[in-house]
Amino acid sequence: MGAKEVRKTVLNHPITDKITASASPEAIERQQFVPKRIKIFDAKCTQLSEQPQYRFGMNREAKRILPDIINNCVHKVIEKSDASMAQKKAFCKRRHIGVVFSGGPAPGGHNVIAGLFDALTACNPESRLYGFILGSDGLLESRYVEITKELVDAHRNMGGFSMIKTGRTKIDTSEKMNQALKTCQSLNLEGLVVIGGDDSNTNAAFLAQHFTAAGIRVIGVPKTIDGDIQVSSDDGTKLLAVPFGFHSAARAFSQNISSLTSDAASDIKYWHVCKVMGRVASHLALETALQTHVNLVFIGEELAEYVDKERLEKAKQTGEIDYTAYGITLRHLSRIICDAIVRRAAFGKNYGVMVIPEGILESINEIQVFIIKLNKIIADFNTIHDLDFHRSFPTLNEKLDYLRRISKGMLDRNGFPIWNLRDDELFNQLPEFFQAGLLVERDFHGNFQFSQVRTEKIIMDMVTEYLGALKEQGIYKIGIARSYYQSFMASRNLDPDLYAAALFTDPSAVFLLVKPRIISLKTLKQALVSEALLGKDDEIPGPVTEIFRRSEPRFKIQTHFYGYDGRGGDPTGFDCHYSYNLGLTAFHLMAHGATGQMAAIKNLEQSFENWEPIGIPIARLMHLEERKGRLELVMEKSMVDLSSNAFQVYKAMRKKWMAAGPEEDHYRKPGPVRFDGKAEEDRPITLVLNAIDKDA
Ligand code: FBP
């Protein structure tokens, strides 16, 4: 048979058809998987029960701007067993509902829509669900698709937001609000479900307020891989432990990062530097640490609290206060990393894996100041000139030139210079790629786009430079196992003990460190000559040179960015069940007239039987935050709580996980993301730890 015939036969073979089909066996199994439903959703009729025992503070600005939804309280979906015929009929009436994704994708989004669709059509098959295309843009431009059973079935338990796509456009003017209202009215919508993060839920609250007069309801659904939407009432009761998508993304990152631990420990030549998403909060970095036990992890919230006690003490002795001792600097951070690298290398481990949260720059004083100042400068330029800063100054040089010009005179409202000569001088010391990163365009919501900045590069460049200096000083060396050294020398007919005293700091240690002053073949020879092991004109014995070479470190890194892969990945079992029930909850909240509420599941940290569908008043979660250079009302992000069990456990374990000693590493293999199966953990580790009752 010729090549052409072979190709034809293989191409027409049924096996080829089967194994090259777009739907993989895993995808088919996923689409057919049926998430669990909270029992209450099997009831013939439900109702909302107010839960006034859960109280929240009230922001004055929120009260002023959101008067119609500010007095909402927490609602719980409960069964209505005594529903009259009329009530049942009202509950099962034909409805039109709209749904929109907003912000970055998160695994589980399709299941929210599936839950919403199933509840809506189970009540009344005549009801219609419309999905707006490409996020808020679809809502503004009236671009939508009717969501049918076929469409839903093709996306059940599958990752991404590809069914209707997403976008980051903010509905921030009354013109846009009216436009969105017009679209909803033209489709005769009873309500709109906004599936999004903190900014999108903020938008949902503003829409709810704007739509009140028209009787259209708006329900938010908490999504974000960043994990920073968490809600507790004033008395500390957890109402929402985590948004959907967090678990799946953290598990996807952890699986990949744990593969890197295997690589690092096999080839023993690389430090793998992993930047993981989380624009501001470090929840993903913390969960990844607990999942993988990598050697070094930074938690932004901890760095932000950093105080250099030594510097404070020194200043105290001279009767002064050193304000620069508060907060960590890039330089200090790079020193901490170097310290870990040097300490592991001393035990023969010139390799490792570290995790840096994407938003780490926000915790570094000097950089945070730049970010805030630049936010203001860019926002002011846009307002004053009614032009876009980035289009007006497309190149880095033009941007820098503008900064230079304003450094001579731009003052803020209180008369303080916004960008002074000192800022200009410091900024100009940064490498170009980093300057460009800090000047990157802000997103629609005025957020700094950390994902666009090569944070790991700026940090690791400083680390590499300092390690070079430590190597020169003879401090950075690879420890050599004494047992290895002895057998190596003996097999080459050299007396190990004879040379050990001249070569090593402590010849009796389990790992031998070459003396700091021996940093080259020249200094090696001097050491041997001074110990009378070598004549001035003799050559260094080959095996001794070999041992010295092995003690010389070469610092090699591989950088990785985990973010888009995890947020576009498939959901874990936890997220499949969770997001599906969020969809069901959103429907029941809306069907009973709620608006300005965020669908949530209480007791996520407990077994599924205890999950409770609730609605949380979004307006009560608002505070004022600096955006685009001015204070804006937004939903408050939840940062890593340094007193939480999860952080405390990580803190207690991190020395062990750094493994800067003779022992083996303690890496943990979490395994792949799955949606079913016995071996699968059923919720994030942070959630489980935080639910442990400290006082019990
Ligand atoms: P959301 O807050 O919308 O869920 O998005 C979070 C996130 O995944 C961050 O972790 C990341 O910084 C950001 O999106 C990147 O977004 P993009 O590159 O899409 O603008």
Side-chain angles (χ1 to χ4, degrees):
M1 236 193 280
K4 215 166 152 191
E5 284 76 39
V6 169
R7 203 163 55 228
K8 206 168 153 203
T9 323
V10 174
L11 274 177
N12 293 331
H13 201 285
I15 292 184
T16 310
D17 260 4
K18 193 172 160 202
I19 62 170
T20 57
S22 297
S24 67
E26 162 86 7
I28 294 169
E29 209 179 323
R30 270 192 172 271
Q31 286 157 354
Q32 289 167 355
F33 175 71
V34 181
K36 292 187 273 194
R37 295 160 64 92
I38 298 176
K39 207 157 165 274
I40 183 69
F41 294 126
D42 292 330
K44 287 259 173 313
C45 192
T46 59
Q47 60 182 328
L48 299 184
S49 142
E50 292 198 343
Q51 308 284 301
Q53 71 274 27
Y54 301 127
R55 296 170 195 276
F56 306 92
M58 189 192 296
N59 182 286
R60 268 205 284 162
E61 193 63 1
K63 189 176 173 194
R64 189 179 69 78
I65 302 182
L66 304 167
D68 294 324
I69 57 168
I70 193 75
N71 290 320
N72 283 358
C73 66
V74 172
H75 284 133
K76 182 172 164 188
V77 182
I78 59 167
E79 182 170 5
K80 182 155 180 65
S81 46
D82 58 351
S84 64
M85 277 312 282
Q87 284 168 327
K88 278 188 194 152
K89 214 168 142 206
F91 179 57
C92 291
K93 71 172 187 189
R94 181 190 160 130
R95 305 166 195 274
H96 288 184
I97 289 180
V99 63
V100 63
F101 285 132
S102 179
H110 288 139
N111 272 24
V112 178
I113 296 187
L116 185 60
F117 177 85
D118 288 353
L120 178 73
T121 51
C123 254
N124 187 328
E126 295 295 307
S127 289
R128 295 283 174 263
L129 181 62
Y130 297 102
F132 294 103
I133 306 292
L134 278 170
S136 303
D137 283 343
L139 194 55
L140 296 173
E141 295 162 15
S142 193
R143 274 208 288 153
Y144 58 87
V145 62
E146 186 184 332
I147 295 179
T148 58
K149 182 169 181 316
E150 291 66 44
L151 195 58
V152 172
D153 287 349
H155 290 88
R156 286 182 194 270
N157 309 301
M158 303 295 287
F161 281 2
S162 52
M163 184 204 280
I164 51 172
K165 325 220 177 294
T166 185
R168 286 199 186 273
T169 300
K170 187 177 178 185
I171 303 184
D172 53 357
T173 60
S174 46
E175 202 187 332
K176 287 188 194 170
M177 292 269 175
N178 288 335
Q179 195 58 43
L181 179 59
K182 219 169 112 197
T183 303
C184 294
Q185 284 173 324
S186 71
L187 285 169
N188 196 16
L189 295 191
E190 170 174 86
L192 175 71
V193 175
V194 178
I195 305 171
D198 51 336
D199 287 329
S200 310
N201 274 284
T202 300
N203 235 211
F206 282 96
L207 287 174
Q209 173 64 41
H210 193 79
F211 289 5
T212 312
I216 297 180
R217 302 152 193 178
V218 183
I219 300 291
V221 177
K223 87 72 240 198
T224 175
I225 62 161
D226 290 5
D228 53 12
I229 308 185
Q230 300 176 10
V231 182
S232 296
S233 59
D234 281 352
D235 65 356
T237 310
K238 257 278 172 286
L239 297 174
L240 172 63
V242 75
F244 82 80
F246 170 76
H247 185 231
S248 312
R251 286 299 312 272
F253 298 162
S254 301
Q255 156 74 353
N256 289 335
I257 291 171
S258 93
S259 301
L260 294 178
T261 61
S262 303
D263 182 83
S266 306
D267 212 5
I268 62 166
K269 67 178 180 202
Y270 288 126
W271 263 90
H272 288 285
V273 180
C274 310
K275 182 169 83 169
V276 303
M277 262 194 188
R279 197 196 332 250
V280 181
S282 294
H283 297 290
L284 280 167
L286 179 58
E287 178 71 20
T288 306
L290 295 164
Q291 291 275 358
T292 61
H293 305 180
V294 293
N295 309 107
L296 197 55
V297 179
F298 291 101
I299 303 298
E301 289 82 341
E302 184 184 23
L303 298 182
E305 295 290 308
Y306 179 81
V307 178
D308 189 333
K309 294 203 183 99
E310 245 174 63
R311 261 154 76 184
L312 274 188
E313 205 45 51
K314 244 192 217 161
K316 209 164 134 195
Q317 281 161 16
T318 58
E320 287 164 37
I321 299 175
D322 183 349
Y323 292 105
T324 59
Y326 297 94
I328 199 145
T329 60
L330 268 181
R331 189 168 169 276
H332 196 110
L333 182 69
S334 66
R335 300 302 187 259
I336 296 174
I337 298 176
C338 289
D339 181 59
I341 292 168
V342 169
R343 281 171 55 202
R344 277 179 59 84
F347 290 92
K349 301 172 188 165
N350 194 32
Y351 66 86
V353 179
M354 77 177 82
V355 166
I356 298 179
E358 180 190 48
I360 197 169
L361 294 181
E362 179 113 325
S363 335
I364 298 174
N365 254 357
E366 75 228 77
I367 305 298
Q368 198 199 20
V369 170
F370 278 144
I371 293 175
I372 294 173
K373 288 188 171 199
L374 293 172
N375 279 354
K376 171 120 185 84
I377 289 166
I378 295 171
D380 280 359
F381 179 89
N382 293 351
T383 332
I384 297 168
H385 302 276
D386 196 22
L387 283 170
D388 181 78
F389 179 82
H390 297 280
R391 288 205 229 294
S392 304
F393 307 113
T395 66
L396 177 62
N397 274 340
E398 287 165 292
K399 289 184 174 90
L400 293 178
D401 193 46
Y402 177 73
L403 289 180
R404 210 161 299 131
R405 275 187 279 136
I406 63 165
S407 70
K408 299 187 182 91
M410 190 173 172
L411 305 177
D412 73 5
R413 234 186 315 153
N414 303 316
F416 292 112
I418 295 177
W419 191 258
N420 53 37
L421 288 169
R422 176 90 184 117
D423 290 321
D424 213 50
E425 196 181 300
L426 288 175
F427 199 72
N428 279 316
Q429 285 169 18
L430 298 173
E432 268 191 22
F433 80 89
F434 196 53
Q435 289 175 332
L438 294 175
L439 280 162
V440 79
E441 197 163 353
R442 276 50 181 166
D443 77 3
F444 269 110
H445 299 271
N447 293 309
F448 182 75
Q449 302 202 59
F450 287 103
S451 57
Q452 309 292 313
V453 188
R454 286 160 70 204
T455 313
E456 66 286 16
K457 176 157 166 55
I458 182 91
I459 296 173
M460 294 319 291
D461 281 356
M462 290 176 86
V463 166
T464 308
E465 198 184 319
Y466 190 53
L467 282 177
L470 293 177
K471 195 172 155 185
E472 296 263 296
Q473 292 162 26
I475 295 171
Y476 177 28
K477 301 233 183 239
I478 300 181
I480 295 166
R482 197 181 51 196
S483 52
Y484 171 80
Y485 164 75
Q486 284 178 327
S487 60
F488 180 84
M489 295 292 273
S491 68
R492 280 145 182 92
N493 299 322
L494 291 177
D495 179 355
D497 296 335
L498 192 65
Y499 287 93
L503 290 175
F504 305 118
T505 324
D506 174 7
S508 62
V510 182
F511 276 83
L512 303 168
L513 273 179
V514 169
K515 289 178 178 168
R517 66 166 187 275
I518 306 177
I519 52 167
S520 60
L521 287 179
K522 199 169 150 199
T523 45
L524 172 63
K525 187 164 180 180
Q526 282 165 0
L528 295 176
V529 172
S530 76
E531 294 289 329
L533 290 169
L534 206 65
K536 236 172 44 199
D537 299 320
D538 294 340
E539 296 247 313
I540 307 170
V544 177
T545 306
E546 181 65 26
I547 287 294
F548 168 70
R549 288 280 180 233
R550 283 177 192 223
S551 77
E552 275 189 317
R554 285 217 294 144
F555 181 61
K556 297 203 325 190
I557 56 170
Q558 294 289 347
T559 52
H560 313 264
F561 178 26
Y562 294 110
Y564 299 102
D565 49 345
R567 73 181 201 180
D570 288 329
T572 55
F574 172 80
D575 273 328
C576 286
H577 300 303
Y578 176 25
S579 49
Y580 184 73
N581 282 282
L582 280 174
L584 299 174
T585 307
F587 169 75
H588 285 260
L589 288 171
M590 184 175 291
H592 295 300
T595 188
Q597 300 286 90
M598 182 168 70
I601 306 290
K602 189 169 170 283
N603 299 338
L604 278 177
E605 56 283 1
Q606 299 177 24
S607 65
F608 183 79
E609 291 63 47
N610 296 332
W611 286 17
E612 281 179 10
I614 59 168
I616 300 174
I618 308 176
R620 291 302 187 95
L621 312 177
M622 304 274 198
H623 77 155
L624 290 173
E625 203 173 292
E626 189 272 330
R627 292 292 173 91
K628 297 187 180 161
R630 56 170 194 265
L631 287 178
E632 279 193 19
L633 192 63
V634 290
M635 192 169 135
E636 188 169 2
K637 275 191 181 39
S638 253
M639 307 299 285
V640 170
D641 174 2
L642 300 184
S643 65
S644 66
N645 293 354
F647 180 78
Q648 289 302 323
V649 167
Y650 148 75
K651 196 171 166 190
M653 301 292 224
R654 65 182 165 196
K655 190 167 165 221
K656 178 176 167 195
W657 296 343
M658 183 186 286
E663 79 276 23
E664 288 291 312
D665 285 303
H666 303 279
Y667 301 136
R668 177 177 185 269
K669 301 259 142 213
V673 166
R674 303 173 64 196
F675 60 98
D676 198 10
K678 273 202 204 115
E680 188 177 57
E681 76 186 16
D682 58 1
R683 67 203 69 168
I685 295 181
T686 22
L687 218 68
V688 178
L689 289 174
N690 287 342
I692 297 174
D693 186 354
K694 290 180 224 177
D695 307 320

